[in-house]
Amino acid sequence: MPKVVVVSPPFRSHAQPLAVLAAALRAAGAEAVFACAPGFEALAEEAGAGFAPLTVTRNANTGIAETTRQGAGEAARLAEFLEATRAGAVPALLTQARHRRADMLADPAGVRAALAGLDARLRPDWYVVDQLSYPVTLALHCLGLRYATFCPGHPGYIPTGPDAYFGVPAAWPRAVRPPAEELAALTAAARGNDAAFTALFAEEAARAAPDRPAPGRAFALASPEAVLYNYPPLPWLPEPPKGPEALYLGHCSTAGEAAPALPGDWRAEADRLRAGGRHLVLVALGTFLSARDDVLRTVVEGVLRHCPQAAVVAAAGGRTASLADLAAPGGAGEGRLAVAPEVPQRALLPLADAMVHHGGNNSFTECLYAGVPALVLPFSSDQFAIAHDAERAGAGVCLDPNALTPEAAGRAVAGLLAAPPAGLSALGAAVRGRGPAWAAPRLLAAMGAPRG
């Protein structure tokens, strides 16, 4: 029985699918250990996996970014990023580019030491590492330890061409097309980060492991054996790295089982909202972007106004109070709106008729799995490429969140309710045919024999 350690950064949106993968590896015959910050031990328990405390970054997000306790520097960068999203796509991406060193490679030597200690204690056969955990990948490379790469977002996160850069979307949706001069500035910043990170990787590797091969281009560093993409194998995606086996999971929301049970209080709420044959619309902008309560309010007001036969569930994070008036007696959503800091998204999706989300990878693939059409409102990161793919695949439509009006949001959702996009049915079936239970035995086969 191979022993596999699944390493996750301390972000709920990354840790949850990685814990599901750990459960699938366990079901496929491996001994699985989930390694993450102490606040995520419950995910290991749910997965039936062992747990090893391991902190790989000072940033954290246990479910709602704004209310997660973290250092002053990390909180200030989060506030700056959220403010930048109000200025548009390229300002948000440029802010992320400026933060990249502090966010993603703050203490490579410390991470390497922690990982070496964990390896000495557990002696796993190999690791699975989140591709955005750059210090972990660098440490595994320097220590000469075998690993598989898990790509948590759009496949363009692993740049494979000379003109592809981490931080520049692989594609743009029709509604968000920055002007050429802005794209040139973004590309220049990403190119600079590419060179700087590559130099840092080379320096760290030369100091820590002078006998090991040079790591090469930093953002392209991935397993030479297997890369798992938490994404469907769409035909227009960027080429994967040459050499490792590429496994497209399609989704990583369950371990091949039914969707998680809806808690009793939410079952009663869903029944109340859907009474009389109402449609149910789920609105969630992710664990970071729920802070954009201006966009949440625009969407909710638009759906309530232009979809009279629909009810709404909105996940508002730390901004729940700012939408409370809509759900209150006499409010526009009285009887048709439920607002909560967090909602059981995966459990609610089978009951939903449409979703409005930010283009996060989990939301995109979970909607595909559930066969739910989506209005995508991308703000940052890989969300623009995911929004493009949702449109091109016929699984949803995209609007610019910073130019959104209640009328545009409401009419877009009304269109999805009246006529779901043409490509959703076939793509949903293809995604349901994959998943972690499909990928786990293939990954075990790709990684081969246990450690000697």
Side-chain angles (χ1 to χ4, degrees):
M1 176 188 292
K3 179 187 281 189
V4 184
V5 172
V6 178
V7 182
S8 174
F11 305 115
R12 183 80 184 192
S13 57
H14 292 242
Q16 186 166 288
L18 281 165
V20 169
L21 179 62
L25 287 166
R26 178 174 173 271
E31 179 185 351
V33 177
F34 184 67
C36 193
F40 291 83
E41 186 172 0
L43 289 177
E45 294 175 1
E46 291 171 16
F51 180 74
L54 180 68
T55 300
V56 300
T57 176
R58 289 192 293 265
N59 289 338
N61 179 359
T62 58
I64 301 172
E66 280 193 305
T67 59
T68 298
R69 290 188 62 185
Q70 51 193 329
E74 287 73 29
R77 290 197 300 276
L78 174 61
E80 183 184 354
F81 160 70
L82 291 171
E83 187 60 30
T85 66
R86 299 176 185 275
V90 170
L93 292 167
L94 283 171
T95 299
Q96 289 181 298
R98 287 197 303 275
H99 293 171
R100 201 135 280 151
R101 170 73 185 275
D103 285 344
M104 292 183 165
L105 200 66
D107 183 19
V111 170
R112 186 179 66 255
L115 197 63
L118 182 147
D119 190 75
R121 293 194 309 274
L122 299 180
R123 297 289 294 171
D125 295 296
W126 45 275
Y127 294 79
V128 176
V129 59
D130 187 299
Q131 189 263 342
L132 295 187
S133 289
Y134 294 107
V136 178
T137 300
L138 179 58
L140 291 167
H141 172 85
C142 291
L143 294 167
L145 300 173
R146 297 178 62 213
Y147 67 97
T149 295
F150 178 85
C151 185
H154 191 272
Y157 265 169
I158 303 179
T160 54
D163 297 322
Y165 295 101
F166 180 77
V168 178
W172 294 89
R174 288 188 296 270
V176 185
R177 295 285 175 89
E181 61 273 16
E182 288 192 9
L183 280 177
L186 176 61
T187 302
R191 188 185 299 115
N193 267 343
D194 190 281
F197 266 65
T198 297
L200 287 167
F201 270 41
E203 292 169 10
E204 184 66 21
R207 180 167 47 250
D211 296 331
R212 293 277 300 148
R217 190 178 178 191
F219 292 117
L221 182 61
S223 168
E225 298 183 71
V227 178
L228 295 84
Y229 295 96
N230 187 16
Y231 217 75
L234 303 172
W236 55 81
L237 294 176
E239 286 292 320
K242 294 189 185 329
E245 182 165 352
L247 297 171
Y248 291 84
L249 282 79
H251 72 95
C252 203
S253 56
T254 68
E257 302 171 355
L262 193 62
D265 52 344
W266 274 104
R267 167 59 65 180
E269 187 73 336
D271 289 344
R272 179 186 71 81
L273 291 169
R274 298 170 75 221
R278 287 196 195 111
H279 293 297
L280 185 64
V281 178
L282 180 58
V283 180
L285 300 183
T287 56
F288 285 91
L289 291 159
S290 59
R292 286 296 305 272
D293 56 334
D294 56 324
V295 177
L296 280 173
R297 189 177 187 93
T298 296
V299 170
V300 171
E301 289 181 340
V303 174
L304 292 173
R305 189 180 307 164
H306 295 282
C307 306
Q309 296 305 311
V312 179
V313 172
R319 306 301 180 92
T320 302
S322 68
L323 300 181
D325 62 299
L326 295 175
E334 181 182 4
R336 296 170 54 204
L337 172 62
V339 182
E342 298 180 80
V343 304
Q345 180 171 307
R346 288 186 295 150
L348 278 171
L349 269 171
L351 304 177
D353 299 287
M355 183 174 179
V356 182
H357 65 75
H358 58 304
N361 187 65
N362 291 336
S363 293
F364 172 56
T365 56
E366 288 168 14
C367 281
L368 295 181
Y369 185 89
V372 174
L375 167 59
V376 187
L377 306 174
F379 294 82
S380 64
S381 307
D382 60 340
Q383 295 159 20
F384 306 103
I386 291 173
H388 163 273
D389 290 348
E391 281 190 329
R392 186 167 177 179
V397 296
C398 173
L399 293 174
D400 183 348
N402 288 308
L404 197 65
T405 64
E407 180 177 27
R411 294 198 182 283
V413 172
L416 294 174
L417 295 174
L424 182 59
S425 178
L427 184 54
V431 165
R432 287 189 291 275
R434 299 204 175 205
W438 171 92
R442 289 166 173 79
L443 179 59
L444 290 170
M447 297 302 293
R451 185 175 189 165

